[in-house]
């Protein structure tokens, strides 16, 4: 017990008994506790990437003692702020080119995944973007390939 809260220490079953202000009336409830000890964020492609302006759907797997937990709800976030905008559970809109880290939290457990956000190919071809190590960046100084402008 921490203050007025009961805090689960490990997964398993327990019986709770409560007595109100020393009276003889008590109640018992059986509870099953499942603690999440690992969270995995998954992307359909590896390495995970998305084009600027496109949507990205990620999934989360929560584990307890190495076994998957069904019907979990994760809290999603991404850093740096502004690269990916959260549009729904596990859904992001690519808002700015570069690298972002997505994090999913289930209880105290957290998992994360790095996402590469690249400009669309037509932007690479027309706006002078260079490709460096598989990631498109504006005005790259050491381009692996150089795109010619189309008219």
């Amino acid at each position: 017990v921490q203050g007025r809260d009961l805090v689960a220490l490990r997964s398993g079953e327990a019986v709770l008994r409560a007595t109100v202000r020393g009276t003889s009336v008590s109640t018992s409830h059986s509870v099953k506790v499942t603690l999440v000890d690992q969270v995995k964020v998954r992307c359909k492609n590896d390495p995970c990437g998305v084009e600027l302006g496109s949507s990205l759907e990620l999934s989360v797997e929560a584990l307890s003692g190495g076994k998957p937990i069904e019907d979990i709800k994760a809290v999603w976030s991404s850093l740096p702020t502004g690269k990916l905008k959260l549009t729904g559970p596990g859904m992001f809109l690519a808002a700015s080119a570069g690298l972002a880290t997505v994090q999913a939290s289930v209880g105290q457990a957290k998992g994360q995944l790095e996402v590469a956000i690249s400009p669309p190919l037509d932007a690479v071809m027309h706006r002078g973007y260079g490709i460096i190590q598989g990631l498109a960046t504006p005005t790259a100084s050491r381009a692996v390939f150089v795109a010619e402008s189309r008219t």
Side-chain angles (χ1 to χ4, degrees):
V1 177
Q2 290 181 357
R4 297 179 61 186
D5 298 327
L6 291 173
V7 178
L9 300 177
R10 60 182 178 274
S11 297
E13 294 186 27
V15 175
L16 302 176
R17 289 186 186 87
T19 303
V20 180
R21 299 186 193 259
T23 63
S24 60
V25 177
S26 66
T27 183
S28 295
H29 295 281
S30 179
V31 295
K32 182 177 181 182
V33 175
T34 303
L35 292 181
V36 176
D37 52 31
Q38 187 177 15
V39 174
K40 295 180 181 180
V41 179
R42 306 235 188 250
C43 185
K44 292 180 183 176
N45 45 335
D46 185 28
C48 190
V50 63
E51 278 190 359
L52 185 60
S54 296
S55 292
L56 174 67
E57 182 178 1
L58 301 174
S59 61
V60 64
E61 181 181 29
L63 304 169
S64 178
K67 296 179 183 175
I69 303 169
E70 300 297 322
D71 299 324
I72 55 103
K73 291 189 184 339
V75 176
W76 294 89
S77 61
S78 68
L79 288 173
T81 307
K83 294 270 184 208
L84 292 170
K85 292 186 179 181
L86 183 64
T87 59
M91 297 292 298
F92 292 87
L93 177 65
S96 176
L99 292 175
T101 301
V102 171
Q103 180 173 285
S105 302
V106 180
Q108 298 298 313
K110 297 175 175 57
Q112 62 184 30
L113 179 71
E114 190 171 84
V115 178
I117 307 158
S118 59
L121 185 56
D122 64 342
V124 173
M125 299 301 282
H126 290 97
R127 296 188 189 135
Y129 281 83
I131 306 294
I132 296 181
Q133 298 175 353
L135 177 67
T137 58
T139 61
S141 59
R142 291 181 54 196
V144 173
F145 86 61
V146 176
E148 291 183 19
S149 179
R150 295 187 207 168
T151 56

